[in-house]
Amino acid sequence: MISLLDTTLRDGAQAEGVTFSVDDKMRIALALDQLGVDWIEGGNPGANPKDAAFFQRFKEIAPLKTARLVAFGSTIRPGEQPEDNENLQALVDAGVCTVSVFGKASVLHVDEVLRCSREENLRMIRESVQYLSQKGLTVLFDAEHFFDGYQQDSNYALSCLQAAVDGGASCLILCDTNGSALPDDVENAVQCVISRFPGKEVGIHCHNDCGLATACSLAAVKAGATMVQGTMGGIGERCGNADLCTLIPLLEKKLGKPCLPEGHLVKLTHTARFVAEIMNLSLSSRAPFVGTAAFAHKGGMHIDGVIKNPTTFEQISPESVGNQRRFLLSDQAGRAGVYARLSKILPDVERDSPEMSQVIARLKEKEARGYTYENAEGSFALMALDTLGRRPHFFEVQDFHVLCHRPQIVPDISHSAQAYVKISVNGEEGINAAEGDGPVNALDIALRKTLAVFYPALNKMRLKDFKVRVLDSGGTASTVRVSIESTDGEHFWSTVGVSSNIIQACFKALVDSIDYMLTYHVPASQE
């Protein structure tokens, strides 16, 4: 059994473009707890007031069911005594049972950064760990720059671990802080540590500066490490940390080493996307296991093979990690690709049926006009349903207008566009207007505001991504294709609109996105 320590709330906060509020940290911690990780490193209460507030919030409500919260901090400074160190006291006051303390394990850092004697660094490690252990805390020792230090002076790097053990550390975390180690070097060093400290738990913490964080983490596990640290999506300082979204399936499915409670692996994709949403980051579509393209098939031969036997072109079942298979429509997919996509929407339609031929003919007609459905599964589904007379009609757009202005001309107005929308639902009219940051945003808000009166579930929907592509060389009169991605916080879908009027193309894609949600993601009772 491999234990997981997630450092998203600390290492992730050091990533460029990521800022957490206390509420953000709470929501992520709860999601990680539901996923089933063993430990959640909540931050450094002695160095960050926001982290201190986070730990205080947890002391008040204690919401975690199975995961254990870990507070992070550093050893004492040169010449300092543990009882005088505010950082150690903050760890004691954090209200957790486990703390993670980092100390230098590299002679370079002792000489050039701490600028103290090497013996003094060993004292700092030993006495810091001992002070916390005597306070009744379980102490994980993060040996910072361990692998670089091991290459420079292996005896001293091991002496740093010995100092932590002498102080009472329960687990030795070997850190590739610069992300510079190679897998073979990691495996050899971990084997040496396990031989030197028999019976002591050893963990691995890798950064991804060489793109090897996953490989190095697996090498450590093969060598005997039983704790793996990383972040959701691999976010972290510089090139990031080891990606738990990749490591967890590899450990469970490839190495046969359980690291989540039984049945929890299926929660991985949802958790990864949920955490990315909170961080306001786009999870890479090509992320292994959890990306939208991880199980996407485009080539006709590949699609045909997957239909006959999924293992021909899929390493594991997408459902096992909570993801789903996607068949991309393109000139390479052919009839097999269309059927694969259509059979998921309408399983009663057979491959050689007249209905299939009708959909293919309509598809070719739409593609000739500039539509592409490779990444617009929402619009394809609606097009297929419409072609076969099965598309439900939730509303009809009767009119819309957009007005844009220059903010410097009207300086007191913060938004640059206004939109008016008039719709009809079962003969009942709805009219509304909205302001937005640009015409598309204003239209999006006005349309959903109008329809939410009839379909309250639309209040959860929002536009996630927006792309425009010019299809011909007509200058400002060119035909454009607009692709948008939408979400309700749980599902993601894409739609497309084409027109020589960019606003009209946007509006078509927006209308399809709402239609698709109402068709597939809203129970009848919530419509």
Side-chain angles (χ1 to χ4, degrees), residues 183-195:
D184 287 348
D185 297 332
V186 169
E187 186 171 1
N188 293 334
V190 172
Q191 287 175 343
C192 177
V193 170
I194 289 175
S195 175

Side-chain angles (χ1 to χ4, degrees), residues 230-410:
T231 63
M232 297 301 289
I235 66 164
E237 194 169 26
R238 304 185 311 277
C239 300
N241 289 52
D243 187 352
L244 289 182
C245 298
T246 301
L247 276 169
I248 291 172
L250 288 173
L251 290 168
E252 295 221 350
K253 306 294 284 188
K254 302 294 185 179
L255 297 187
K257 294 183 178 293
C259 50
L260 291 178
E262 186 175 356
H264 280 229
L265 184 59
V266 296
K267 300 180 180 182
L268 183 63
T269 297
H270 171 72
T271 305
R273 295 175 183 178
F274 177 78
V275 172
E277 281 291 299
I278 294 177
M279 294 188 293
N280 198 29
L281 296 177
S282 295
L283 183 69
S284 172
S285 63
R286 291 177 174 80
F289 303 107
V290 298
T292 57
F295 299 94
H297 305 279
K298 183 174 179 178
M301 183 185 71
H302 292 201
I303 292 172
D304 184 61
V306 170
I307 291 174
K308 294 172 180 175
N309 184 341
T311 61
T312 55
F313 289 97
E314 290 178 348
Q315 52 165 328
I316 64 170
S317 162
E319 292 79 14
S320 67
V321 290
N323 208 336
Q324 61 181 353
R325 181 178 300 118
R326 296 170 60 231
F327 295 112
L328 307 179
L329 297 180
S330 72
D331 54 1
Q332 299 182 43
R335 193 178 187 89
V338 177
Y339 176 67
R341 180 80 72 86
L342 188 62
S343 63
K344 294 177 66 175
I345 305 164
L346 299 170
D348 60 310
V349 175
E350 298 183 1
R351 181 167 182 161
D352 297 319
S353 66
E355 290 89 349
M356 177 73 173
S357 298
Q358 291 175 39
V359 172
I360 291 176
R362 182 76 180 279
L363 174 64
K364 291 180 178 179
E365 173 196 334
K366 299 282 279 187
E367 287 182 337
R369 292 164 51 194
Y371 281 82
T372 178
Y373 295 98
E374 178 176 322
N375 291 304
E377 67 280 1
S379 288
F380 172 79
L382 296 175
M383 180 274 291
L385 292 173
D386 187 58
T387 300
L388 302 179
R390 302 192 195 184
R391 179 172 177 171
H393 294 284
F394 297 98
F395 64 94
E396 181 180 342
V397 177
Q398 296 184 326
D399 195 13
F400 74 91
H401 297 285
V402 179
L403 174 66
C404 298
H405 59 261
R406 295 172 61 190
Q408 55 267 45
I409 295 178
V410 191

Side-chain angles (χ1 to χ4, degrees), residues 105-107 144-157:
S106 159
V107 292
E144 190 182 38
H145 297 281
F146 175 79
F147 294 101
D148 290 335
Y150 188 83
Q151 292 288 331
Q152 296 156 4
D153 188 332
S154 60
N155 289 330
Y156 186 76

